[in-house]
Amino acid sequence: MKRQIIFLITVVFTLNVNAQNIEGSKQYFQQAKAQLENMLSDKEKPNYEKTIFTIENAWYDNQIDKANFDNAMNKHIEAIQELIKNNYDEKEIKQKPSLLITQHEIKDQYMQALTNWAIYTYITSPTLFVDNKDTNTISFHRPYKYSTTDPMATTNWQNSQVVNLNNTHQGNCYALASFFKILSDRLNSDATLCTAPSHIYISHKDDNGTDYNIELGSKYFPGTGMISALTYTTDLAIKSGISQKKLNTKQSIALCLVYLAKGYQHKFSNT
């Protein structure tokens, strides 16, 4: 009888501890929601990278090391800047100044396009980098792959996360596009997130100032017509701004609120 009582007390204690842990985990999501709302209401400066870190940190019970996250991003930036430096060529600038655009604006346009090319190359292609020029130490950078087996992150929600993308080099379209956006914001290359039904992709201007779409999962550069066909987008959805819409920073943060809610649902659906 005593053993049964002790067992029951142990079970009740364990259930109480688990319940407290769950409530504590839920609180991290509430805190993340409040911080994103502060950005949307201008109580805090909107920042997409900080937003991504906030919603993913909530998933991991605020256990992500911010210093490690920043160090990883800094290393990515250094590698991309090396690609930019090695591929910069003013002879490639073909556009001429006119009443509509100055030489300085043309050069800025070229630099932004080159930067976005470097980000795309870094994400999608295997690359060799010289780590030490004195010893010719070379490192190999693996490309990031699209999660073809779990594109909607329905089986594993981590497939939608930039942190997991850094660790595994695999993620869905949201993780890949968010990674591109973070790198673009750091390098001031003016790339934006765009929406389509069940899909996120990147848009930026090429060296002639023309909009250019990047589909990181397939590594293609589809036009709006192809995106419409692949995502079953209606003309009404495009006209109303629901689909193929370039998101500004606040709209991108609002999208992250949706993913925060989805993460909450995935984590606590059985509690």
Side-chain angles (χ1 to χ4, degrees):
M1 185 65 178
K2 289 183 178 180
R3 290 182 181 178
Q4 291 178 345
I5 293 173
I6 293 172
F7 173 74
L8 288 173
I9 291 173
T10 303
V11 170
V12 171
F13 177 77
T14 302
L15 290 174
N16 286 336
V17 170
N18 289 339
Q20 290 174 3
N21 289 339
I22 291 170
E23 288 306 311
S25 293
K26 288 181 177 180
Q27 190 62 34
Y28 296 128
F29 281 82
Q30 294 295 337
Q31 292 169 0
K33 176 176 175 287
Q35 187 165 10
L36 268 58
E37 289 173 341
N38 284 341
M39 291 187 193
L40 293 174
S41 61
D42 292 323
K43 294 179 181 178
E44 184 176 340
K45 184 178 180 181
N47 182 290
Y48 191 73
E49 178 179 340
K50 187 173 183 179
T51 298
I52 288 294
F53 179 84
T54 299
I55 68 172
E56 294 185 6
N57 198 24
W59 171 270
Y60 293 103
D61 293 342
N62 283 11
Q63 294 300 305
I64 299 177
D65 189 309
K66 185 64 164 59
N68 287 343
F69 181 86
D70 289 338
N71 287 338
M73 289 300 166
N74 290 337
K75 289 180 180 179
H76 296 319
I77 294 299
E78 289 174 4
I80 293 166
Q81 287 174 329
E82 190 71 16
L83 285 172
I84 296 169
K85 178 182 176 182
N86 291 337
N87 288 276
Y88 177 80
D89 185 359
E90 283 197 27
K91 295 178 182 177
E92 293 295 321
I93 303 176
K94 307 298 182 183
Q95 193 174 2
K96 302 299 181 183
S98 67
L99 291 174
L100 300 177
I101 189 168
T102 66
Q103 184 64 41
H104 179 72
E105 289 171 334
I106 291 172
K107 188 173 180 179
D108 284 347
Q109 203 166 257
Y110 167 76
M111 280 303 302
Q112 284 191 337
L114 177 62
T115 300
N116 285 319
W117 168 86
I119 297 172
Y120 169 81
T121 300
Y122 183 76
I123 291 176
T124 62
S125 302
T127 315
L128 294 176
F129 290 98
V130 178
D131 294 331
N132 190 318
K133 293 182 179 180
D134 294 330
T135 60
N136 288 325
T137 304
I138 296 176
S139 63
F140 175 73
H141 171 71
R142 291 188 296 123
Y144 299 87
K145 296 182 179 180
Y146 182 63
S147 178
T148 56
T149 58
D150 190 21
M152 304 300 292
T154 51
T155 302
N156 182 5
W157 184 246
Q158 291 170 309
N159 281 324
S160 70
Q161 297 174 346
V162 172
V163 167
N164 186 65
L165 182 70
N166 268 299
N167 293 335
T168 66
H169 282 236
Q170 182 170 287
N172 68 2
C173 61
Y174 177 67
L176 288 164
S178 291
F179 186 41
F180 194 113
K181 172 66 175 170
I182 289 170
L183 297 173
S184 172
D185 285 352
R186 283 201 175 206
L187 292 164
N188 300 310
S189 65
D190 199 29
T192 58
L193 298 176
C194 292
T195 59
S198 301
H199 192 52
I200 306 292
Y201 61 99
I202 290 290
S203 179
H204 69 78
K205 294 188 181 300
D206 65 11
D207 54 347
N208 292 313
T210 304
D211 285 344
Y212 201 76
N213 299 322
I214 298 179
E215 213 300 303
L216 293 164
S218 63
K219 304 180 185 179
Y220 289 157
F221 312 105
T224 54
M226 181 178 289
I227 292 174
S228 296
L230 291 174
T231 59
Y232 303 100
T233 301
T234 64
D235 291 339
L236 180 61
I238 296 173
K239 290 178 182 178
S240 63
I242 296 174
S243 182
Q244 297 188 13
K245 178 181 179 64
K246 287 185 175 182
L247 305 183
N248 61 31
T249 300
K250 281 192 175 181
Q251 289 167 337
S252 299
I253 292 171
L255 177 65
C256 290
L257 266 176
V258 175
Y259 275 83
L260 179 68
K262 286 184 176 181
Y264 183 96
Q265 184 179 22
H266 273 267
K267 189 163 186 175
F268 304 111
S269 60
N270 295 322
T271 61

mmCIF file of all heavy atoms in Angstrom, residues 51-70:
data_model
loop_
_atom_site.group_PDB
_atom_site.id
_atom_site.type_symbol
_atom_site.label_atom_id
_atom_site.label_comp_id
_atom_site.label_asym_id
_atom_site.label_seq_id
_atom_site.Cartn_x
_atom_site.Cartn_y
_atom_site.Cartn_z
ATOM 1 N N THR A 51 13.850 39.361 -35.806
ATOM 2 C CA THR A 51 12.554 38.685 -35.773
ATOM 3 C C THR A 51 12.708 37.179 -35.920
ATOM 4 O O THR A 51 12.115 36.403 -35.163
ATOM 5 C CB THR A 51 11.647 39.228 -36.897
ATOM 6 O OG1 THR A 51 11.414 40.619 -36.683
ATOM 7 C CG2 THR A 51 10.317 38.499 -36.928
ATOM 8 N N ILE A 52 13.500 36.758 -36.894
ATOM 9 C CA ILE A 52 13.731 35.325 -37.102
ATOM 10 C C ILE A 52 14.370 34.699 -35.877
ATOM 11 O O ILE A 52 13.967 33.620 -35.413
ATOM 12 C CB ILE A 52 14.607 35.094 -38.350
ATOM 13 C CG1 ILE A 52 13.813 35.379 -39.631
ATOM 14 C CG2 ILE A 52 15.157 33.662 -38.385
ATOM 15 C CD1 ILE A 52 12.661 34.418 -39.879
ATOM 16 N N PHE A 53 15.380 35.365 -35.317
ATOM 17 C CA PHE A 53 16.024 34.833 -34.118
ATOM 18 C C PHE A 53 15.016 34.716 -32.976
ATOM 19 O O PHE A 53 14.998 33.722 -32.248
ATOM 20 C CB PHE A 53 17.184 35.733 -33.688
ATOM 21 C CG PHE A 53 17.876 35.249 -32.441
ATOM 22 C CD1 PHE A 53 18.863 34.283 -32.500
ATOM 23 C CD2 PHE A 53 17.514 35.750 -31.184
ATOM 24 C CE1 PHE A 53 19.487 33.810 -31.346
ATOM 25 C CE2 PHE A 53 18.129 35.289 -30.031
ATOM 26 C CZ PHE A 53 19.114 34.325 -30.113
ATOM 27 N N THR A 54 14.151 35.697 -32.836
ATOM 28 C CA THR A 54 13.178 35.717 -31.736
ATOM 29 C C THR A 54 12.192 34.565 -31.823
ATOM 30 O O THR A 54 11.936 33.871 -30.830
ATOM 31 C CB THR A 54 12.420 37.060 -31.728
ATOM 32 O OG1 THR A 54 13.352 38.135 -31.521
ATOM 33 C CG2 THR A 54 11.370 37.084 -30.623
ATOM 34 N N ILE A 55 11.635 34.333 -33.020
ATOM 35 C CA ILE A 55 10.609 33.284 -33.124
ATOM 36 C C ILE A 55 11.230 31.887 -33.041
ATOM 37 O O ILE A 55 10.619 30.957 -32.513
ATOM 38 C CB ILE A 55 9.754 33.429 -34.401
ATOM 39 C CG1 ILE A 55 10.568 33.160 -35.664
ATOM 40 C CG2 ILE A 55 9.099 34.787 -34.475
ATOM 41 C CD1 ILE A 55 9.712 33.104 -36.939
ATOM 42 N N GLU A 56 12.462 31.746 -33.537
ATOM 43 C CA GLU A 56 13.115 30.441 -33.456
ATOM 44 C C GLU A 56 13.639 30.186 -32.044
ATOM 45 O O GLU A 56 13.610 29.052 -31.558
ATOM 46 C CB GLU A 56 14.236 30.351 -34.493
ATOM 47 C CG GLU A 56 13.696 30.387 -35.920
ATOM 48 C CD GLU A 56 14.766 30.184 -36.980
ATOM 49 O OE1 GLU A 56 15.929 29.905 -36.624
ATOM 50 O OE2 GLU A 56 14.428 30.302 -38.176
ATOM 51 N N ASN A 57 14.079 31.231 -31.379
ATOM 52 C CA ASN A 57 14.538 31.096 -30.000
ATOM 53 C C ASN A 57 13.390 30.666 -29.091
ATOM 54 O O ASN A 57 13.575 29.878 -28.157
ATOM 55 C CB ASN A 57 15.123 32.421 -29.515
ATOM 56 C CG ASN A 57 16.008 32.259 -28.292
ATOM 57 O OD1 ASN A 57 16.562 31.184 -28.045
ATOM 58 N ND2 ASN A 57 16.138 33.318 -27.521
ATOM 59 N N ALA A 58 12.184 31.145 -29.379
ATOM 60 C CA ALA A 58 11.012 30.744 -28.594
ATOM 61 C C ALA A 58 10.764 29.242 -28.725
ATOM 62 O O ALA A 58 10.425 28.572 -27.746
ATOM 63 C CB ALA A 58 9.782 31.522 -29.054
ATOM 64 N N TRP A 59 10.946 28.714 -29.925
ATOM 65 C CA TRP A 59 10.765 27.273 -30.153
ATOM 66 C C TRP A 59 11.720 26.457 -29.272
ATOM 67 O O TRP A 59 11.365 25.406 -28.756
ATOM 68 C CB TRP A 59 10.984 26.948 -31.631
ATOM 69 C CG TRP A 59 11.042 25.482 -31.929
ATOM 70 C CD1 TRP A 59 12.150 24.680 -31.938
ATOM 71 C CD2 TRP A 59 9.936 24.618 -32.249
ATOM 72 N NE1 TRP A 59 11.822 23.396 -32.256
ATOM 73 C CE2 TRP A 59 10.462 23.318 -32.453
ATOM 74 C CE3 TRP A 59 8.560 24.817 -32.397
ATOM 75 C CZ2 TRP A 59 9.666 22.232 -32.782
ATOM 76 C CZ3 TRP A 59 7.776 23.736 -32.732
ATOM 77 C CH2 TRP A 59 8.323 22.449 -32.921
ATOM 78 N N TYR A 60 12.957 26.964 -29.121
ATOM 79 C CA TYR A 60 13.976 26.258 -28.338
ATOM 80 C C TYR A 60 14.033 26.755 -26.888
ATOM 81 O O TYR A 60 15.074 26.654 -26.237
ATOM 82 C CB TYR A 60 15.346 26.421 -29.003
ATOM 83 C CG TYR A 60 15.454 25.730 -30.342
ATOM 84 C CD1 TYR A 60 15.388 26.468 -31.527
ATOM 85 C CD2 TYR A 60 15.591 24.356 -30.442
ATOM 86 C CE1 TYR A 60 15.476 25.844 -32.770
ATOM 87 C CE2 TYR A 60 15.681 23.730 -31.673
ATOM 88 C CZ TYR A 60 15.618 24.477 -32.831
ATOM 89 O OH TYR A 60 15.697 23.854 -34.060
ATOM 90 N N ASP A 61 12.932 27.282 -26.389
ATOM 91 C CA ASP A 61 12.836 27.735 -24.988
ATOM 92 C C ASP A 61 13.911 28.760 -24.638
ATOM 93 O O ASP A 61 14.493 28.732 -23.540
ATOM 94 C CB ASP A 61 12.924 26.548 -24.023
ATOM 95 C CG ASP A 61 11.720 25.622 -24.131
ATOM 96 O OD1 ASP A 61 10.681 26.051 -24.687
ATOM 97 O OD2 ASP A 61 11.815 24.468 -23.681
ATOM 98 N N ASN A 62 14.183 29.660 -25.593
ATOM 99 C CA ASN A 62 15.172 30.732 -25.393
ATOM 100 C C ASN A 62 16.565 30.208 -25.053
ATOM 101 O O ASN A 62 17.309 30.835 -24.287
ATOM 102 C CB ASN A 62 14.698 31.706 -24.308
ATOM 103 C CG ASN A 62 13.621 32.654 -24.810
ATOM 104 O OD1 ASN A 62 13.079 32.464 -25.894
ATOM 105 N ND2 ASN A 62 13.307 33.657 -24.023
ATOM 106 N N GLN A 63 16.917 29.053 -25.636
ATOM 107 C CA GLN A 63 18.214 28.429 -25.361
ATOM 108 C C GLN A 63 19.238 28.641 -26.475
ATOM 109 O O GLN A 63 20.366 28.164 -26.381
ATOM 110 C CB GLN A 63 18.032 26.924 -25.115
ATOM 111 C CG GLN A 63 17.251 26.588 -23.863
ATOM 112 C CD GLN A 63 17.906 27.131 -22.612
ATOM 113 O OE1 GLN A 63 19.069 26.861 -22.336
ATOM 114 N NE2 GLN A 63 17.160 27.912 -21.845
ATOM 115 N N ILE A 64 18.868 29.346 -27.545
ATOM 116 C CA ILE A 64 19.832 29.602 -28.616
ATOM 117 C C ILE A 64 20.852 30.625 -28.136
ATOM 118 O O ILE A 64 20.492 31.676 -27.588
ATOM 119 C CB ILE A 64 19.138 30.123 -29.890
ATOM 120 C CG1 ILE A 64 18.136 29.101 -30.419
ATOM 121 C CG2 ILE A 64 20.169 30.433 -30.968
ATOM 122 C CD1 ILE A 64 17.359 29.575 -31.628
ATOM 123 N N ASP A 65 22.111 30.331 -28.340
ATOM 124 C CA ASP A 65 23.184 31.244 -27.956
ATOM 125 C C ASP A 65 23.275 32.357 -29.001
ATOM 126 O O ASP A 65 23.639 32.107 -30.144
ATOM 127 C CB ASP A 65 24.512 30.482 -27.855
ATOM 128 C CG ASP A 65 25.619 31.314 -27.250
ATOM 129 O OD1 ASP A 65 25.836 32.439 -27.725
ATOM 130 O OD2 ASP A 65 26.273 30.839 -26.311
ATOM 131 N N LYS A 66 22.935 33.584 -28.612
ATOM 132 C CA LYS A 66 22.928 34.712 -29.551
ATOM 133 C C LYS A 66 24.310 34.974 -30.117
ATOM 134 O O LYS A 66 24.470 35.309 -31.301
ATOM 135 C CB LYS A 66 22.403 35.964 -28.849
ATOM 136 C CG LYS A 66 22.242 37.191 -29.766
ATOM 137 C CD LYS A 66 21.204 36.941 -30.835
ATOM 138 C CE LYS A 66 20.763 38.244 -31.498
ATOM 139 N NZ LYS A 66 21.841 39.017 -32.141
ATOM 140 N N ALA A 67 25.337 34.824 -29.293
ATOM 141 C CA ALA A 67 26.705 35.065 -29.765
ATOM 142 C C ALA A 67 27.086 34.068 -30.855
ATOM 143 O O ALA A 67 27.704 34.444 -31.864
ATOM 144 C CB ALA A 67 27.684 34.976 -28.596
ATOM 145 N N ASN A 68 26.714 32.800 -30.685
ATOM 146 C CA ASN A 68 27.001 31.793 -31.699
ATOM 147 C C ASN A 68 26.232 32.076 -32.987
ATOM 148 O O ASN A 68 26.757 31.898 -34.089
ATOM 149 C CB ASN A 68 26.641 30.399 -31.179
ATOM 150 C CG ASN A 68 27.625 29.897 -30.137
ATOM 151 O OD1 ASN A 68 28.733 30.416 -30.023
ATOM 152 N ND2 ASN A 68 27.215 28.904 -29.369
ATOM 153 N N PHE A 69 24.987 32.487 -32.837
ATOM 154 C CA PHE A 69 24.172 32.844 -34.007
ATOM 155 C C PHE A 69 24.820 33.993 -34.778
ATOM 156 O O PHE A 69 24.960 33.938 -36.002
ATOM 157 C CB PHE A 69 22.767 33.231 -33.541
ATOM 158 C CG PHE A 69 21.826 33.597 -34.649
ATOM 159 C CD1 PHE A 69 21.102 32.621 -35.317
ATOM 160 C CD2 PHE A 69 21.645 34.924 -35.015
ATOM 161 C CE1 PHE A 69 20.229 32.951 -36.343
ATOM 162 C CE2 PHE A 69 20.776 35.277 -36.040
ATOM 163 C CZ PHE A 69 20.060 34.277 -36.701
ATOM 164 N N ASP A 70 25.246 35.035 -34.053
ATOM 165 C CA ASP A 70 25.881 36.193 -34.698
ATOM 166 C C ASP A 70 27.202 35.804 -35.349
ATOM 167 O O ASP A 70 27.525 36.269 -36.454
ATOM 168 C CB ASP A 70 26.116 37.305 -33.675
ATOM 169 C CG ASP A 70 24.822 37.972 -33.234
ATOM 170 O OD1 ASP A 70 23.830 37.882 -33.988
ATOM 171 O OD2 ASP A 70 24.804 38.565 -32.136
#
